[in-house]
Amino acid sequence: MTTSGISRRGALRMFGIGALGVAGAGVLGACAPSGSPSNGGDPKSKNFDFTSWSLNEEAAKPSIEKIIAAWEKAEKSKIRAVSYPYNEYLSQLTLKLGGGETTGAVHLDIAWLAAMAQMGKLVDLGSVVGRGGYTDVALKSGTYDGKQYGLPWNTGSIGVIANSQLLEKAGIKKHPTTVEEFEAALGELKGLGGGVVPYAAATKVAQLKDIFPWMQTFGCKMLDGGKVTIGDDASVDAVTWYKKLHDEKLIAADVDRFDARALFGQGKAAFYDDAIIGKGVTSAQSKDKTLADSMQPMERPVLKAGDTPQALLWGGVIAIVNGKGQDAATEFALHTTTDQATTSEYFSARALPPSTTAGLAAPEVARDSFTTEWTQKITRTATGSPFWQFAQNAQIEEAVGKQVQAVLVGKSKPKDAMKQAGEEVAALIKR
Amino acid sequence: MTSTTSTPLPAVDRPQPSATRGERGARRRIRKDLLRSRIAAWSAVVVIGAFGLLPVYWLLVTALSTPESTFQFPPKLIPTDLTLSNFTALAENDQLIKYMINSLVVASITAVLSVVVATYMGYSFSKFRYRGRRSLMHLVLASQMFPQALLLVTLYTVFSSFGMLNTYSALVLSFTTFTMPLCVWMLKGIFDTIPDALLEAAAIDGASRWRTLHSIVAPLAAPGMIAAGLFAFVRGWNDFIFALTLADKEKQTLPPGLVSTYIGEFQTAWPQLMAASLVVSVPVIVAFMFLQRYLVGGMTAGSVKS
């Protein structure tokens, strides 16, 4: 029965017209293509895609476009440039690689390589990697499960940067090498007053993964033979020490990488953690045009003399997707990461260290003392995170970060927090 | 105490010649209380106003600042070195203009499609009684309750299967999936307020069902339809994740375009981003200025039945 004398058929027709335009989209999910190891297309095609977040970025775009244009001209091929913002890159790539839309060469942060390799769509580049002349540490950054899935493009690390001007002001003549010396230096720097934060260490959850190298410094392996060791005495000691720095105002509350750069850029922080590119980024946003000259890479202090300084490996690799244009894309990746003229020019534009021995020895790179010093002091002993192999890496970092923050704000004891963090991480990797 | 305003004072403020000392004291207390409550009210207005307007002010200041002064610490509330370079750079960026055109096209079509679809569906739900009507109504609403990520993956695979990725159609259809349910319910509420007697009178006068809907009901529901359209336009204009996932650089809209252009791996170009954000807010502000009278009426219509 209708309220206006219109039949049921008429009513349904009205509804039907309305629904027609959109209802289909929601119910056709079943038509989705199932995943396959290859993303389809002719592997011999000269044309392929190159996906990179850097293709969006003002600082990187012109140099990468130049590399692409030179390749297209030399090989008479066509490269389609694809890009997503860095913060969305992993999720977009996962969806599009799974959906078969991504082919060709793919620029990856080394932290994402394992997650991408597990999708089973990347080519094992073991047969071509020997032609590159890559350094050992660089090769490691492109390896997952014993296979070479990525050709290393730029290899660096996240380490500690010091401000030599402030150190001098505080009467610190050489970089501290042990945790004890470091703490004493921070005390001296605090004495400078004027709002100086001796060490602009990360204290916000988003960046508290920076605690990992300190945990390793104190002897925590984080993951040992598949067993999560966060919660052991070493991790508790590391967090107890971090809390002590916080309570003594040697590090500050609510600091992430952006805040740390801002503080350092204004001469208000003597040490902070950053990737090698931090020099360019931080000095560019500073009013002090001499700041770049005062920036020095520093080996992370060790617990006792003779220990290996800890640093997190950092960099980018180019991986190749099975399917359309994979052969040409492999040659392109090899050329981009190893051709000396190309890597030198790219270094001049972006100050990102090359990943080959010849690239590092090129005059443009060798002349840059910050880069060479960084490579020798920090990258030399840097290692990847044991959690990169898990797709839940971001949740793992967040879980640990939350517990560390709870300690810093006094809501939790280091022992309880690390035990809790260890349990949460164990649950996440079991999934 | 005298007043300089032309507004008549409340009775308590007028001098009372025959008042006793006690009465005068009481009046003073009342006046003090009134003054205190006025000060409290104005303070609240100022604080709330500052709370609401400070982000807008900061957006404007950052848009007019150089990158170095953006990171100045402590920040300056009144900046000294202002520049228009962020706006001129924006005007010279062809890609951003392309994103803006894409946004206008997609958000406008979404608004029109949502209103057209929702008009028929809302009318059907409001004026007809048939088996499954309630279930259908709740089904439409339930689609709003799915997490966006779930809808996104489904839509991505569907559009991919049909070769529709990187098209305006994909964006419009995906935006419509989340604008339509609210539009349908909004318009149903508005149609509910239109008396059935009017429809019956039209039928007696020989109007067909189509004529009744298009010539009688639709004009009466126009404010609500405009409000629904505005709502859909704004949702489409602001969407980030669907536009990023379903379209490539050629068809992408402003939100992913701005993020791609200004937010990088190592740094964010805050001054340029703020300048761009200011400029791209203009179409939405203009739309609200012209259509706001319909918006309030449209949103509240149907909330009270006559």
mmCIF file of all heavy atoms in Angstrom, chain A residues 1 3 6 11 15 17-18 21-22 31-32 53 56-57 92 95-96 101 261 266 277, chain B residues 71 73 117 124-125 127-129 156-157 161 173 176 180 196 200 210 245 260 264-266:
data_model
loop_
_atom_site.group_PDB
_atom_site.id
_atom_site.type_symbol
_atom_site.label_atom_id
_atom_site.label_comp_id
_atom_site.label_asym_id
_atom_site.label_seq_id
_atom_site.Cartn_x
_atom_site.Cartn_y
_atom_site.Cartn_z
ATOM 1 N N MET A 1 0.835 -1.195 0.000
ATOM 2 C CA MET A 1 0.000 0.000 0.000
ATOM 3 C C MET A 1 0.872 1.248 0.000
ATOM 4 O O MET A 1 1.854 1.344 0.700
ATOM 5 C CB MET A 1 -0.850 -0.026 1.281
ATOM 6 C CG MET A 1 -1.904 1.017 1.326
ATOM 7 S SD MET A 1 -2.647 0.942 2.974
ATOM 8 C CE MET A 1 -2.762 2.654 3.349
ATOM 9 N N THR A 3 1.219 5.564 0.200
ATOM 10 C CA THR A 3 0.504 6.690 0.814
ATOM 11 C C THR A 3 0.020 7.670 -0.234
ATOM 12 O O THR A 3 -0.680 8.595 0.061
ATOM 13 C CB THR A 3 1.435 7.424 1.787
ATOM 14 O OG1 THR A 3 2.578 7.830 1.056
ATOM 15 C CG2 THR A 3 1.811 6.573 2.963
ATOM 16 N N ILE A 6 0.410 5.289 -5.447
ATOM 17 C CA ILE A 6 1.313 4.798 -6.485
ATOM 18 C C ILE A 6 1.607 3.330 -6.213
ATOM 19 O O ILE A 6 1.757 2.901 -5.071
ATOM 20 C CB ILE A 6 2.608 5.627 -6.521
ATOM 21 C CG1 ILE A 6 2.231 7.089 -6.801
ATOM 22 C CG2 ILE A 6 3.560 5.132 -7.588
ATOM 23 C CD1 ILE A 6 3.364 8.058 -6.696
ATOM 24 N N ALA A 11 6.993 2.352 -7.205
ATOM 25 C CA ALA A 11 7.899 2.742 -6.130
ATOM 26 C C ALA A 11 9.267 2.107 -6.324
ATOM 27 O O ALA A 11 10.311 2.759 -6.203
ATOM 28 C CB ALA A 11 7.329 2.315 -4.790
ATOM 29 N N PHE A 15 13.080 3.670 -6.907
ATOM 30 C CA PHE A 15 14.261 3.266 -6.141
ATOM 31 C C PHE A 15 15.345 2.751 -7.085
ATOM 32 O O PHE A 15 16.516 3.083 -6.966
ATOM 33 C CB PHE A 15 13.881 2.195 -5.119
ATOM 34 C CG PHE A 15 15.092 1.648 -4.411
ATOM 35 C CD1 PHE A 15 15.654 2.342 -3.355
ATOM 36 C CD2 PHE A 15 15.671 0.470 -4.823
ATOM 37 C CE1 PHE A 15 16.781 1.863 -2.719
ATOM 38 C CE2 PHE A 15 16.804 -0.011 -4.194
ATOM 39 C CZ PHE A 15 17.351 0.680 -3.140
ATOM 40 N N ILE A 17 15.886 3.411 -10.215
ATOM 41 C CA ILE A 17 16.575 4.469 -10.982
ATOM 42 C C ILE A 17 17.644 5.117 -10.118
ATOM 43 O O ILE A 17 18.771 5.345 -10.536
ATOM 44 C CB ILE A 17 15.551 5.531 -11.467
ATOM 45 C CG1 ILE A 17 14.655 4.933 -12.541
ATOM 46 C CG2 ILE A 17 16.260 6.774 -11.987
ATOM 47 C CD1 ILE A 17 13.424 5.769 -12.851
ATOM 48 N N GLY A 18 17.259 5.350 -8.875
ATOM 49 C CA GLY A 18 18.208 5.988 -7.970
ATOM 50 C C GLY A 18 19.429 5.136 -7.718
ATOM 51 O O GLY A 18 20.548 5.619 -7.698
ATOM 52 N N GLY A 21 22.861 4.013 -10.631
ATOM 53 C CA GLY A 21 24.151 4.642 -10.896
ATOM 54 C C GLY A 21 25.268 4.187 -9.997
ATOM 55 O O GLY A 21 26.423 4.246 -10.362
ATOM 56 N N VAL A 22 24.922 3.782 -8.774
ATOM 57 C CA VAL A 22 26.006 3.527 -7.824
ATOM 58 C C VAL A 22 26.021 2.149 -7.199
ATOM 59 O O VAL A 22 27.070 1.708 -6.719
ATOM 60 C CB VAL A 22 25.978 4.557 -6.670
ATOM 61 C CG1 VAL A 22 26.448 5.897 -7.140
ATOM 62 C CG2 VAL A 22 24.604 4.643 -6.066
ATOM 63 N N CYS A 31 34.410 -9.642 -8.590
ATOM 64 C CA CYS A 31 35.033 -9.698 -9.922
ATOM 65 C C CYS A 31 36.529 -9.417 -9.862
ATOM 66 O O CYS A 31 37.204 -9.382 -10.881
ATOM 67 C CB CYS A 31 34.411 -8.659 -10.851
ATOM 68 S SG CYS A 31 32.666 -8.883 -11.033
ATOM 69 N N ALA A 32 37.053 -9.180 -8.662
ATOM 70 C CA ALA A 32 38.454 -8.793 -8.547
ATOM 71 C C ALA A 32 39.377 -9.867 -9.095
ATOM 72 O O ALA A 32 39.135 -11.053 -8.898
ATOM 73 C CB ALA A 32 38.785 -8.543 -7.089
ATOM 74 N N TRP A 53 58.699 7.701 -5.200
ATOM 75 C CA TRP A 53 58.129 8.848 -4.487
ATOM 76 C C TRP A 53 58.913 10.117 -4.797
ATOM 77 O O TRP A 53 58.374 11.208 -4.770
ATOM 78 C CB TRP A 53 58.096 8.591 -2.972
ATOM 79 C CG TRP A 53 59.445 8.525 -2.327
ATOM 80 C CD1 TRP A 53 60.163 9.579 -1.838
ATOM 81 C CD2 TRP A 53 60.248 7.366 -2.112
ATOM 82 N NE1 TRP A 53 61.364 9.135 -1.333
ATOM 83 C CE2 TRP A 53 61.443 7.787 -1.485
ATOM 84 C CE3 TRP A 53 60.077 6.010 -2.380
ATOM 85 C CZ2 TRP A 53 62.462 6.911 -1.129
ATOM 86 C CZ3 TRP A 53 61.094 5.131 -2.026
ATOM 87 C CH2 TRP A 53 62.266 5.589 -1.408
ATOM 88 N N ASN A 56 57.963 13.125 -7.182
ATOM 89 C CA ASN A 56 57.085 14.224 -6.779
ATOM 90 C C ASN A 56 57.864 15.397 -6.227
ATOM 91 O O ASN A 56 57.347 16.496 -6.160
ATOM 92 C CB ASN A 56 56.175 13.771 -5.626
ATOM 93 C CG ASN A 56 54.946 13.077 -6.104
ATOM 94 O OD1 ASN A 56 54.457 13.373 -7.178
ATOM 95 N ND2 ASN A 56 54.448 12.156 -5.321
ATOM 96 N N GLU A 57 59.044 15.095 -5.718
ATOM 97 C CA GLU A 57 59.681 16.064 -4.842
ATOM 98 C C GLU A 57 60.583 17.036 -5.584
ATOM 99 O O GLU A 57 61.400 16.633 -6.407
ATOM 100 C CB GLU A 57 60.434 15.322 -3.735
ATOM 101 C CG GLU A 57 59.462 14.455 -2.945
ATOM 102 C CD GLU A 57 60.106 13.704 -1.798
ATOM 103 O OE1 GLU A 57 61.328 13.798 -1.646
ATOM 104 O OE2 GLU A 57 59.367 13.036 -1.068
ATOM 105 N N GLN A 92 50.034 2.328 -1.052
ATOM 106 C CA GLN A 92 49.636 2.426 -2.460
ATOM 107 C C GLN A 92 50.314 1.345 -3.307
ATOM 108 O O GLN A 92 49.688 0.701 -4.142
ATOM 109 C CB GLN A 92 50.002 3.807 -3.020
ATOM 110 C CG GLN A 92 49.167 4.938 -2.471
ATOM 111 C CD GLN A 92 47.713 4.843 -2.877
ATOM 112 O OE1 GLN A 92 47.396 4.559 -4.020
ATOM 113 N NE2 GLN A 92 46.810 5.039 -1.932
ATOM 114 N N LEU A 95 48.903 -2.167 -2.715
ATOM 115 C CA LEU A 95 47.613 -2.343 -3.395
ATOM 116 C C LEU A 95 47.820 -2.494 -4.904
ATOM 117 O O LEU A 95 47.252 -3.394 -5.532
ATOM 118 C CB LEU A 95 46.736 -1.125 -3.094
ATOM 119 C CG LEU A 95 45.315 -1.130 -3.604
ATOM 120 C CD1 LEU A 95 44.537 -2.275 -2.976
ATOM 121 C CD2 LEU A 95 44.616 0.184 -3.267
ATOM 122 N N LYS A 96 48.658 -1.650 -5.460
ATOM 123 C CA LYS A 96 48.790 -1.632 -6.916
ATOM 124 C C LYS A 96 49.686 -2.742 -7.453
ATOM 125 O O LYS A 96 49.478 -3.223 -8.558
ATOM 126 C CB LYS A 96 49.253 -0.245 -7.368
ATOM 127 C CG LYS A 96 48.084 0.714 -7.187
ATOM 128 C CD LYS A 96 48.360 2.128 -7.391
ATOM 129 C CE LYS A 96 47.057 2.889 -7.089
ATOM 130 N NZ LYS A 96 47.136 4.296 -7.266
ATOM 131 N N GLU A 101 48.800 -3.495 -11.320
ATOM 132 C CA GLU A 101 48.935 -2.229 -12.034
ATOM 133 C C GLU A 101 50.387 -1.760 -12.091
ATOM 134 O O GLU A 101 50.760 -1.009 -12.986
ATOM 135 C CB GLU A 101 48.074 -1.152 -11.353
ATOM 136 C CG GLU A 101 47.645 -0.058 -12.310
ATOM 137 C CD GLU A 101 47.201 1.199 -11.603
ATOM 138 O OE1 GLU A 101 46.715 1.120 -10.470
ATOM 139 O OE2 GLU A 101 47.353 2.267 -12.204
ATOM 140 N N ARG A 261 65.244 18.936 14.002
ATOM 141 C CA ARG A 261 65.914 19.723 12.956
ATOM 142 C C ARG A 261 65.760 21.216 13.226
ATOM 143 O O ARG A 261 66.688 21.985 13.032
ATOM 144 C CB ARG A 261 65.325 19.388 11.592
ATOM 145 C CG ARG A 261 65.795 18.049 11.062
ATOM 146 C CD ARG A 261 65.114 17.733 9.756
ATOM 147 N NE ARG A 261 65.482 16.419 9.281
ATOM 148 C CZ ARG A 261 64.727 15.675 8.499
ATOM 149 N NH1 ARG A 261 63.555 16.118 8.089
ATOM 150 N NH2 ARG A 261 65.135 14.496 8.096
ATOM 151 N N GLN A 266 68.486 26.121 14.769
ATOM 152 C CA GLN A 266 68.567 27.407 15.462
ATOM 153 C C GLN A 266 69.690 27.438 16.490
ATOM 154 O O GLN A 266 69.750 28.341 17.333
ATOM 155 C CB GLN A 266 67.225 27.685 16.142
ATOM 156 C CG GLN A 266 66.158 28.066 15.145
ATOM 157 C CD GLN A 266 64.779 27.760 15.671
ATOM 158 O OE1 GLN A 266 64.531 27.924 16.846
ATOM 159 N NE2 GLN A 266 63.899 27.309 14.814
ATOM 160 N N ILE A 277 71.172 12.758 4.898
ATOM 161 C CA ILE A 277 70.628 13.910 4.166
ATOM 162 C C ILE A 277 70.233 15.051 5.105
ATOM 163 O O ILE A 277 69.951 16.162 4.680
ATOM 164 C CB ILE A 277 69.431 13.453 3.301
ATOM 165 C CG1 ILE A 277 69.216 14.443 2.161
ATOM 166 C CG2 ILE A 277 68.182 13.262 4.129
ATOM 167 C CD1 ILE A 277 68.452 13.879 1.010
ATOM 168 N N PHE B 71 60.277 28.231 10.551
ATOM 169 C CA PHE B 71 60.813 27.348 11.593
ATOM 170 C C PHE B 71 61.441 28.122 12.756
ATOM 171 O O PHE B 71 62.128 27.542 13.584
ATOM 172 C CB PHE B 71 61.845 26.394 10.976
ATOM 173 C CG PHE B 71 61.214 25.431 10.019
ATOM 174 C CD1 PHE B 71 61.297 25.631 8.655
ATOM 175 C CD2 PHE B 71 60.509 24.336 10.485
ATOM 176 C CE1 PHE B 71 60.691 24.755 7.762
ATOM 177 C CE2 PHE B 71 59.902 23.461 9.604
ATOM 178 C CZ PHE B 71 59.996 23.667 8.234
ATOM 179 N N PHE B 73 62.093 29.784 16.190
ATOM 180 C CA PHE B 73 61.650 29.401 17.526
ATOM 181 C C PHE B 73 62.208 30.386 18.543
ATOM 182 O O PHE B 73 63.396 30.643 18.549
ATOM 183 C CB PHE B 73 62.117 27.980 17.848
ATOM 184 C CG PHE B 73 61.551 27.464 19.121
ATOM 185 C CD1 PHE B 73 60.289 26.887 19.140
ATOM 186 C CD2 PHE B 73 62.263 27.574 20.308
ATOM 187 C CE1 PHE B 73 59.756 26.428 20.330
ATOM 188 C CE2 PHE B 73 61.722 27.116 21.497
ATOM 189 C CZ PHE B 73 60.473 26.542 21.516
ATOM 190 N N VAL B 117 20.473 10.954 -7.820
ATOM 191 C CA VAL B 117 20.242 9.596 -7.320
ATOM 192 C C VAL B 117 19.467 9.641 -6.009
ATOM 193 O O VAL B 117 18.477 8.923 -5.814
ATOM 194 C CB VAL B 117 21.600 8.864 -7.136
ATOM 195 C CG1 VAL B 117 21.405 7.560 -6.390
ATOM 196 C CG2 VAL B 117 22.247 8.602 -8.473
ATOM 197 N N SER B 124 11.378 7.616 -3.119
ATOM 198 C CA SER B 124 10.845 6.259 -3.037
ATOM 199 C C SER B 124 10.677 5.836 -1.576
ATOM 200 O O SER B 124 9.645 5.313 -1.186
ATOM 201 C CB SER B 124 11.801 5.309 -3.767
ATOM 202 O OG SER B 124 11.513 3.978 -3.470
ATOM 203 N N PHE B 125 11.687 6.093 -0.772
ATOM 204 C CA PHE B 125 11.629 5.709 0.645
ATOM 205 C C PHE B 125 10.567 6.483 1.406
ATOM 206 O O PHE B 125 9.942 5.975 2.330
ATOM 207 C CB PHE B 125 12.982 5.968 1.321
ATOM 208 C CG PHE B 125 14.065 5.008 0.921
ATOM 209 C CD1 PHE B 125 15.393 5.410 0.913
ATOM 210 C CD2 PHE B 125 13.772 3.695 0.561
ATOM 211 C CE1 PHE B 125 16.404 4.533 0.554
ATOM 212 C CE2 PHE B 125 14.776 2.813 0.195
ATOM 213 C CZ PHE B 125 16.097 3.233 0.187
ATOM 214 N N LYS B 127 7.734 8.200 0.114
ATOM 215 C CA LYS B 127 6.340 8.260 -0.318
ATOM 216 C C LYS B 127 5.720 6.923 -0.705
ATOM 217 O O LYS B 127 4.543 6.870 -1.068
ATOM 218 C CB LYS B 127 6.205 9.221 -1.511
ATOM 219 C CG LYS B 127 6.556 10.659 -1.168
ATOM 220 C CD LYS B 127 5.619 11.211 -0.101
ATOM 221 C CE LYS B 127 6.030 12.598 0.352
ATOM 222 N NZ LYS B 127 5.347 13.002 1.580
ATOM 223 N N PHE B 128 6.469 5.884 -0.689
ATOM 224 C CA PHE B 128 5.911 4.573 -1.064
ATOM 225 C C PHE B 128 6.098 3.568 0.057
ATOM 226 O O PHE B 128 7.056 3.683 0.841
ATOM 227 C CB PHE B 128 6.598 4.048 -2.328
ATOM 228 C CG PHE B 128 6.516 4.998 -3.471
ATOM 229 C CD1 PHE B 128 7.619 5.731 -3.871
ATOM 230 C CD2 PHE B 128 5.322 5.182 -4.154
ATOM 231 C CE1 PHE B 128 7.540 6.627 -4.915
ATOM 232 C CE2 PHE B 128 5.245 6.078 -5.199
ATOM 233 C CZ PHE B 128 6.350 6.816 -5.590
ATOM 234 N N ARG B 129 5.191 2.638 0.134
ATOM 235 C CA ARG B 129 5.290 1.562 1.119
ATOM 236 C C ARG B 129 5.374 0.254 0.355
ATOM 237 O O ARG B 129 4.431 -0.088 -0.378
ATOM 238 C CB ARG B 129 4.076 1.549 2.048
ATOM 239 C CG ARG B 129 3.893 2.818 2.844
ATOM 240 C CD ARG B 129 4.986 2.947 3.917
ATOM 241 N NE ARG B 129 4.862 4.205 4.632
ATOM 242 C CZ ARG B 129 5.497 5.326 4.297
ATOM 243 N NH1 ARG B 129 6.314 5.329 3.248
ATOM 244 N NH2 ARG B 129 5.352 6.429 4.991
ATOM 245 N N TYR B 156 38.782 -0.387 -5.786
ATOM 246 C CA TYR B 156 39.991 -0.460 -6.607
ATOM 247 C C TYR B 156 39.954 -1.711 -7.492
ATOM 248 O O TYR B 156 40.205 -1.637 -8.703
ATOM 249 C CB TYR B 156 41.241 -0.467 -5.708
ATOM 250 C CG TYR B 156 42.503 -0.697 -6.493
ATOM 251 C CD1 TYR B 156 43.129 0.354 -7.153
ATOM 252 C CD2 TYR B 156 43.043 -1.969 -6.608
ATOM 253 C CE1 TYR B 156 44.272 0.142 -7.899
ATOM 254 C CE2 TYR B 156 44.191 -2.183 -7.355
ATOM 255 C CZ TYR B 156 44.792 -1.141 -7.997
ATOM 256 O OH TYR B 156 45.924 -1.353 -8.750
ATOM 257 N N THR B 157 39.614 -2.847 -6.879
ATOM 258 C CA THR B 157 39.619 -4.089 -7.658
ATOM 259 C C THR B 157 38.503 -4.075 -8.707
ATOM 260 O O THR B 157 38.696 -4.551 -9.826
ATOM 261 C CB THR B 157 39.467 -5.319 -6.744
ATOM 262 O OG1 THR B 157 38.374 -5.117 -5.881
ATOM 263 C CG2 THR B 157 40.701 -5.555 -5.914
ATOM 264 N N SER B 161 39.203 -4.193 -12.681
ATOM 265 C CA SER B 161 38.641 -5.243 -13.553
ATOM 266 C C SER B 161 37.943 -4.656 -14.767
ATOM 267 O O SER B 161 37.954 -5.244 -15.837
ATOM 268 C CB SER B 161 37.611 -6.075 -12.800
ATOM 269 O OG SER B 161 38.027 -6.345 -11.527
ATOM 270 N N LEU B 173 32.188 7.938 -9.222
ATOM 271 C CA LEU B 173 31.428 6.818 -8.647
ATOM 272 C C LEU B 173 31.893 6.499 -7.231
ATOM 273 O O LEU B 173 31.076 6.215 -6.359
ATOM 274 C CB LEU B 173 31.568 5.574 -9.537
ATOM 275 C CG LEU B 173 30.741 5.597 -10.821
ATOM 276 C CD1 LEU B 173 31.039 4.375 -11.670
ATOM 277 C CD2 LEU B 173 29.249 5.663 -10.514
ATOM 278 N N THR B 176 30.673 9.107 -4.876
ATOM 279 C CA THR B 176 29.222 8.995 -4.694
ATOM 280 C C THR B 176 28.868 7.898 -3.687
ATOM 281 O O THR B 176 27.864 8.004 -2.993
ATOM 282 C CB THR B 176 28.537 8.740 -6.057
ATOM 283 O OG1 THR B 176 29.025 9.707 -6.980
ATOM 284 C CG2 THR B 176 27.041 8.871 -5.973
ATOM 285 N N MET B 180 26.334 9.575 -1.155
ATOM 286 C CA MET B 180 24.931 9.259 -1.430
ATOM 287 C C MET B 180 24.099 8.869 -0.195
ATOM 288 O O MET B 180 22.986 9.379 -0.036
ATOM 289 C CB MET B 180 24.856 8.169 -2.484
ATOM 290 C CG MET B 180 23.520 8.097 -3.156
ATOM 291 S SD MET B 180 23.387 6.540 -3.986
ATOM 292 C CE MET B 180 23.652 5.385 -2.704
ATOM 293 N N ASP B 196 1.184 14.349 1.816
ATOM 294 C CA ASP B 196 0.702 13.415 0.791
ATOM 295 C C ASP B 196 -0.496 13.992 0.039
ATOM 296 O O ASP B 196 -0.721 13.685 -1.135
ATOM 297 C CB ASP B 196 0.301 12.085 1.450
ATOM 298 C CG ASP B 196 1.527 11.330 1.958
ATOM 299 O OD1 ASP B 196 2.659 11.696 1.563
ATOM 300 O OD2 ASP B 196 1.355 10.404 2.763
ATOM 301 N N GLU B 200 -1.678 13.765 -3.833
ATOM 302 C CA GLU B 200 -2.981 13.229 -4.245
ATOM 303 C C GLU B 200 -3.729 14.257 -5.097
ATOM 304 O O GLU B 200 -4.350 13.916 -6.110
ATOM 305 C CB GLU B 200 -3.807 12.848 -3.017
ATOM 306 C CG GLU B 200 -3.371 11.507 -2.426
ATOM 307 C CD GLU B 200 -3.705 11.358 -0.950
ATOM 308 O OE1 GLU B 200 -4.471 12.195 -0.426
ATOM 309 O OE2 GLU B 200 -3.178 10.424 -0.329
ATOM 310 N N TRP B 210 5.743 11.176 -12.671
ATOM 311 C CA TRP B 210 6.958 11.909 -13.020
ATOM 312 C C TRP B 210 6.733 13.404 -12.892
ATOM 313 O O TRP B 210 7.552 14.113 -12.357
ATOM 314 C CB TRP B 210 7.396 11.586 -14.451
ATOM 315 C CG TRP B 210 7.936 10.206 -14.569
ATOM 316 C CD1 TRP B 210 7.314 9.142 -15.127
ATOM 317 C CD2 TRP B 210 9.189 9.745 -14.065
ATOM 318 N NE1 TRP B 210 8.092 8.021 -15.015
ATOM 319 C CE2 TRP B 210 9.262 8.372 -14.358
ATOM 320 C CE3 TRP B 210 10.241 10.345 -13.400
ATOM 321 C CZ2 TRP B 210 10.352 7.594 -14.021
ATOM 322 C CZ3 TRP B 210 11.331 9.587 -13.067
ATOM 323 C CH2 TRP B 210 11.376 8.211 -13.369
ATOM 324 N N THR B 245 44.293 6.899 -4.771
ATOM 325 C CA THR B 245 44.396 5.488 -5.149
ATOM 326 C C THR B 245 43.807 5.200 -6.529
ATOM 327 O O THR B 245 44.342 4.381 -7.266
ATOM 328 C CB THR B 245 43.678 4.623 -4.085
ATOM 329 O OG1 THR B 245 44.188 4.985 -2.811
ATOM 330 C CG2 THR B 245 43.891 3.143 -4.320
ATOM 331 N N SER B 260 51.344 15.478 -2.639
ATOM 332 C CA SER B 260 52.437 15.021 -3.503
ATOM 333 C C SER B 260 53.424 16.145 -3.786
ATOM 334 O O SER B 260 54.625 15.928 -3.825
ATOM 335 C CB SER B 260 51.897 14.535 -4.847
ATOM 336 O OG SER B 260 51.057 13.450 -4.652
ATOM 337 N N GLY B 264 57.241 16.012 1.370
ATOM 338 C CA GLY B 264 58.228 15.073 0.856
ATOM 339 C C GLY B 264 58.750 14.134 1.923
ATOM 340 O O GLY B 264 58.290 14.138 3.057
ATOM 341 N N GLU B 265 59.719 13.338 1.511
ATOM 342 C CA GLU B 265 60.311 12.361 2.426
ATOM 343 C C GLU B 265 61.030 13.059 3.579
ATOM 344 O O GLU B 265 60.958 12.627 4.714
ATOM 345 C CB GLU B 265 61.309 11.490 1.646
ATOM 346 C CG GLU B 265 61.998 10.453 2.499
ATOM 347 C CD GLU B 265 63.090 9.705 1.733
ATOM 348 O OE1 GLU B 265 63.336 10.039 0.569
ATOM 349 O OE2 GLU B 265 63.690 8.806 2.329
ATOM 350 N N PHE B 266 61.721 14.142 3.271
ATOM 351 C CA PHE B 266 62.556 14.766 4.288
ATOM 352 C C PHE B 266 61.995 16.066 4.820
ATOM 353 O O PHE B 266 62.338 16.485 5.897
ATOM 354 C CB PHE B 266 63.952 15.037 3.714
ATOM 355 C CG PHE B 266 64.593 13.801 3.180
ATOM 356 C CD1 PHE B 266 64.779 13.631 1.822
ATOM 357 C CD2 PHE B 266 64.978 12.792 4.031
ATOM 358 C CE1 PHE B 266 65.360 12.483 1.328
ATOM 359 C CE2 PHE B 266 65.554 11.640 3.549
ATOM 360 C CZ PHE B 266 65.749 11.477 2.191
#
